Amino acid sequence: MLNVTTFVGLDVHARSIKAVALDAMTGEVRCAAFGYDAAAVADWVKAIDPKAKCVYESGVTGFDLQKRLAALGVDCVVGAVSKMIKPAADRKRKNDRNDAEFLARLLFVGNVTEVWVPDDECEAARDLTRALEDAREEVARSKQMLSKFLLRHGLVFDETNPSGARKKNWTAAHWAWIKSVSFAERADNEALAYYIDRVNQATEDKARLERLVAAEASKPRWKRRVDSVRCLKGIDVTTAADWIGYIFLDDFGRTKPAFLNSIGVMYPSVECILKLLYQCT
């Protein structure tokens, strides 16, 4: 970065981009506004300085803009937003231009912690594990809705086994009880059928995504890492793939300590497994 004299901060939104270019030699600041158009941004940056370096904050917009700019020959990085400390005075005058200029100045002084940008295969694998997590949450929500619907009508599954212990929910016995429920009003029966269908559909979606994640985890690029994590007791393929997505598909130096602390509580002997895991990366 020693030969870079122009630093560009990009405040990126879903439909717009605010750009501020800072000339380190003269202190001149230029700004421009664009739609979400990487080509227009690239043309503007190259017109100012073909060797300029750009930065924008990590967040919900992901890595799409960075990849598009890189393909157009523009040096662009994604900065870890959690590492950007903004002065209290600047927080009170927050707008797109100020945010973009703040990023440009951070990049100029070397205070941007760059986030590792995954390639398309890595990002696709992570998206798949995120989809599975969403499906799991949807199953939980659907079951909650069904159980609370029945509770509003004073219906609670309370069967016991021969030893007197209460039978668990969402077992075959529980489902048999749910399907035996009938209401006097047709509308209530229609609502019950809807909630049952929603649980069944969410469960099917979850099972389908679990198969897809398992297939993805069996690819040569991930298999050694997944098999290493599965050495831990109670870790299946989908959980291992989720962990791999967190460790390997993110900024190692930024996330490793927090990850080790979080799982070290559950698995005190996990260090040896993770050493093997990192040797595989």
Side-chain angles (χ1 to χ4, degrees):
M1 206 165 76
L2 294 177
N3 61 341
V4 178
T5 59
T6 304
F7 302 88
V8 181
L10 303 173
D11 192 55
V12 182
H13 300 278
R15 298 179 180 84
S16 65
I17 299 172
K18 191 74 171 184
V20 170
L22 170 66
D23 189 320
M25 302 300 292
T26 65
E28 180 184 3
V29 174
R30 305 181 192 181
C31 63
F34 308 91
Y36 193 87
D37 186 349
V41 175
D43 290 341
W44 181 76
V45 171
K46 288 179 179 179
I48 295 174
D49 182 356
K51 295 183 179 180
K53 186 167 186 175
C54 306
V55 63
Y56 68 91
E57 293 180 346
S58 59
V60 295
T61 55
F63 305 107
D64 176 70
L65 181 62
Q66 190 279 337
K67 292 179 179 179
R68 293 191 187 192
L69 289 176
L72 293 169
V74 175
D75 185 7
C76 181
V77 299
V78 181
V81 66
S82 61
K83 300 293 185 179
M84 297 178 183
I85 303 175
K86 201 167 189 178
D90 291 347
R91 297 173 194 164
K92 297 180 180 179
R93 54 187 186 92
K94 180 176 174 62
N95 57 58
D96 292 351
R97 186 193 182 285
N98 289 342
D99 289 346
E101 184 176 346
F102 170 72
L103 289 171
R105 294 188 182 279
L106 273 186
L107 187 61
F108 167 49
V109 298
N111 274 352
V112 170
T113 302
E114 297 182 17
V115 172
W116 177 73
V117 178
D119 58 37
D120 291 342
E121 184 184 17
C122 291
E123 197 163 10
R126 179 162 55 184
D127 287 340
L128 191 59
T129 59
R130 284 174 173 169
L132 176 56
E133 184 62 28
D134 290 340
R136 288 169 173 166
E137 292 176 0
E138 181 62 24
V139 169
R141 278 195 299 267
S142 300
K143 289 181 176 179
Q144 180 81 349
M145 290 177 184
L146 175 55
S147 64
K148 297 313 175 189
F149 168 76
L150 295 171
L151 181 59
R152 288 197 298 272
H153 291 273
L155 300 171
V156 179
F157 181 62
D158 206 22
E159 291 184 9
T160 58
N161 56 32
S163 64
R166 185 178 300 163
K167 294 181 180 179
K168 295 182 178 181
N169 289 343
W170 315 115
T171 58
H174 185 211
W175 274 113
W177 172 79
I178 291 175
K179 293 176 181 178
S180 70
V181 172
S182 181
F183 298 100
E185 297 293 334
R186 178 179 176 183
D188 281 332
N189 288 319
E190 294 290 347
L192 175 61
Y194 163 75
Y195 286 122
I196 291 175
D197 288 343
R198 179 164 180 168
V199 172
N200 290 335
Q201 184 60 54
T203 303
E204 290 174 8
D205 290 342
K206 173 176 169 287
R208 179 173 61 85
L209 283 167
E210 285 176 341
R211 292 192 295 271
L212 291 173
V213 169
E216 182 70 23
S218 66
K219 290 183 177 180
R221 185 173 185 179
W222 316 120
K223 192 175 188 309
R224 287 185 63 191
R225 302 180 181 94
V226 170
D227 290 345
S228 298
V229 175
R230 289 190 65 196
C231 292
L232 296 172
K233 182 179 180 180
I235 301 300
D236 60 9
V237 173
T238 55
T239 302
D242 194 26
W243 282 15
I244 294 300
Y246 185 80
I247 299 175
F248 183 72
L249 305 182
D250 213 330
D251 180 13
F252 283 114
R254 185 166 58 91
T255 61
K256 183 180 176 183
F259 181 81
L260 289 174
N261 291 337
S262 65
I263 64 175
V265 176
M266 298 181 291
Y267 300 97
S269 61
V270 76
E271 185 178 357
C272 59
I273 299 297
L274 287 178
K275 283 181 178 178
L276 174 61
L277 173 63
Y278 276 92
Q279 288 172 3
C280 295
T281 57

